[in-house]
Amino acid sequence: MAPAAWLARMARNNFTGSGGMRMTAAGFSRWRAPDKPRPMTYSIPAYQVAAFYQFAALPDFRALREPLRALCAARDLKGSVLLAPEGINGTLAGSEVGIADLVDALQRGNLFGGRLDHLDVKYSPADAIPFRRLKVRLKKEIVTLGDASVDPTQRVGTYVDAADWNDLIADPATLVLDTRNAFEVAMGTFEGAVDPGLKSFGEFKTFTAQKLDPATHRRIAMFCTGGIRCEKASAYLLAHGFAEVYHLKGGILKYLEGVPETESRWRGECFVFDERIALGHGLRRHGI
């Protein structure tokens, strides 16, 4: 096609070049500012999920069950809460206001009388409530290890903030242990972490007896989803002669929330025990 004919065709088609130039039969016309890009829209999550726990002496845990259930129901919260003599462990979802009100009641309200003033809480957004109902259950332990001699209310390992975790686990002298179940580890874990191959947390005792040695493994750093399992595991190791024991404060969820993905040593997704299934960096739901 001749150049003049090509230009005429472009003009008829009202062709606009990539830089905002408009083609005419005479060639390029004057600069025209490109169309403004459409503003990006973001949906604000309608609900909030709070995962919380604290090891605390609750000898009256049976009497706390119904008042706690009433506190949650009055705020239209759904999820699961465990109460035991050693403390509280739960994940609840609802409105941001309802969640904030409940957390304040747990930490400063009359029901627990200040015994949950060190409650560990992690928040994440949700487009829908990932639970179908509210359950408040009584247990012997808030996380089952099956060793009554272990008391995390008395002694636990050294907490490590998410910002300091990378340096600790990058040290070759540190044995990094994932204290979660094997199917959780398969979805994601930290670089270089050892998978004990647990089917349940109670098997951590057998793993320790068979695979760990206080004389050989002088520095151990452990992690889990929200911090509760590795905190109890740290108490168990200290009770069995391991001198230098660390655990990730707030667990994987706190790490994924606060550590930039570009600096992360986490690989994969973090399994969570609700309908969201798995979360990634920024606590974004898997696949979003």
Side-chain angles (χ1 to χ4, degrees):
M1 184 181 293
W6 180 81
L7 288 171
R9 179 178 177 182
M10 293 298 100
R12 287 196 302 273
N13 292 337
N14 199 30
F15 176 78
T16 300
S18 61
M21 294 288 188
R22 188 174 297 278
M23 295 294 297
T24 68
F28 290 108
S29 70
R30 66 182 180 180
W31 173 262
R32 180 178 64 82
D35 294 336
K36 292 182 179 180
R38 294 180 181 179
M40 296 182 67
T41 58
Y42 299 91
S43 60
I44 300 176
Y47 302 98
Q48 189 172 64
V49 179
F52 56 90
Y53 81 92
Q54 183 179 335
F55 287 104
L58 300 178
D60 56 340
F61 74 106
R62 296 183 184 278
L64 295 170
R65 182 183 188 180
E66 290 309 318
L68 177 58
R69 187 198 303 273
L71 277 177
C72 297
R75 291 156 180 81
D76 294 322
L77 304 180
K78 290 183 172 61
S80 178
V81 182
L82 304 181
L83 288 169
E86 67 179 7
I88 186 170
N89 178 23
T91 305
L92 293 170
S95 69
E96 187 173 343
V97 172
I99 289 291
D101 196 30
L102 177 75
V103 171
D104 183 71
L106 294 177
Q107 293 176 322
R108 287 174 280 277
N110 294 329
L111 181 58
F112 288 91
R115 289 178 290 178
L116 300 183
D117 56 341
H118 290 92
L119 190 71
D120 185 288
V121 188
K122 288 165 288 295
Y123 302 97
S124 57
D127 294 324
I129 293 183
F131 305 104
R132 294 180 180 145
R133 55 183 176 143
L134 171 65
K135 297 182 287 185
V136 180
R137 296 183 290 175
L138 303 178
K139 294 286 186 176
K140 293 181 180 179
E141 303 173 77
I142 56 174
V143 56
T144 304
L145 182 61
D147 189 333
S149 67
V150 176
D151 186 359
T153 68
Q154 298 298 316
R155 188 187 183 198
V156 295
T158 302
Y159 296 98
V160 181
D161 289 331
D164 301 319
W165 182 250
N166 284 356
D167 290 339
L168 175 64
I169 67 173
D171 190 333
T174 303
L175 174 66
V176 185
L177 283 182
D178 193 330
T179 62
R180 301 172 302 151
N181 295 337
F183 78 90
E184 298 173 76
V185 180
M187 294 184 69
T189 192
F190 283 104
E191 287 182 2
V194 172
D195 175 14
L198 307 179
K199 294 181 180 178
S200 67
F201 182 62
E203 294 180 353
F204 183 76
K205 296 178 295 182
T206 302
F207 170 78
T208 300
Q210 295 179 350
K211 302 295 184 180
L212 300 182
D213 182 355
T216 304
H217 306 108
R218 303 185 63 83
R219 182 195 300 157
I220 298 177
M222 298 182 293
F223 63 92
C224 55
T225 306
I228 185 171
R229 282 178 282 185
C230 48
E231 184 167 342
K232 194 162 192 179
S234 75
Y236 181 81
L237 291 185
L238 289 172
H240 287 78
F242 293 84
E244 199 174 346
V245 181
Y246 301 87
H247 51 109
L248 178 58
K249 186 176 183 180
I252 301 163
L253 296 181
K254 184 64 71 175
Y255 182 93
L256 294 178
E257 179 184 24
V259 175
E261 189 168 358
T262 54
E263 302 174 13
S264 177
R265 296 179 66 90
W266 175 262
R267 299 295 179 262
E269 303 289 338
C270 178
F271 177 85
V272 289
F273 291 88
D274 59 53
E275 293 179 359
R276 295 173 298 170
I277 307 299
L279 301 178
H281 285 89
L283 300 185
R284 296 184 299 270
R285 185 175 177 179
H286 176 62
I288 294 179

